[in-house]
Amino acid sequence: MKKQEDHHELAAEHFEQAAAHHRTAGQHLADDEHEAASHHAHLAHGHAIHAHEHAVQAAKNQVELHEEATA
């Protein structure tokens, strides 16, 4: 169960970081700073990918726990 909780926590952290970079990118766009906006959008995308990977791993761990419990 600990591994699953770790993956949920890591997913949440990455989603929060993605959101922060997305907000920063928006601010840079508003300030007409396109290169900086692109950089933060790229960072946001990377964090979103990592969040998704951790969420998928948490789901896989949940399936394994269910299979073990019902075996």
Side-chain angles (χ1 to χ4, degrees):
M1 191 67 145
K2 176 75 171 120
K3 287 191 327 187
Q4 181 184 355
E5 292 169 0
D6 290 346
H7 283 293
H8 280 297
E9 187 175 315
L10 289 169
E13 289 173 10
H14 279 292
F15 273 125
E16 289 172 10
Q17 290 171 339
H21 282 296
H22 183 75
R23 287 189 297 273
T24 302
Q27 184 59 50
H28 283 302
L29 274 178
D31 295 339
D32 207 28
E33 298 169 347
H34 298 280
E35 188 173 327
S38 176
H39 174 72
H40 283 280
H42 180 78
L43 292 173
H45 183 245
H47 281 294
I49 289 170
H50 283 121
H52 178 259
E53 290 169 348
H54 285 295
V56 167
Q57 189 58 54
K60 287 179 180 179
N61 290 350
Q62 181 64 33
V63 168
E64 288 177 10
L65 288 172
H66 177 74
E67 288 174 348
E68 290 173 6
T70 59

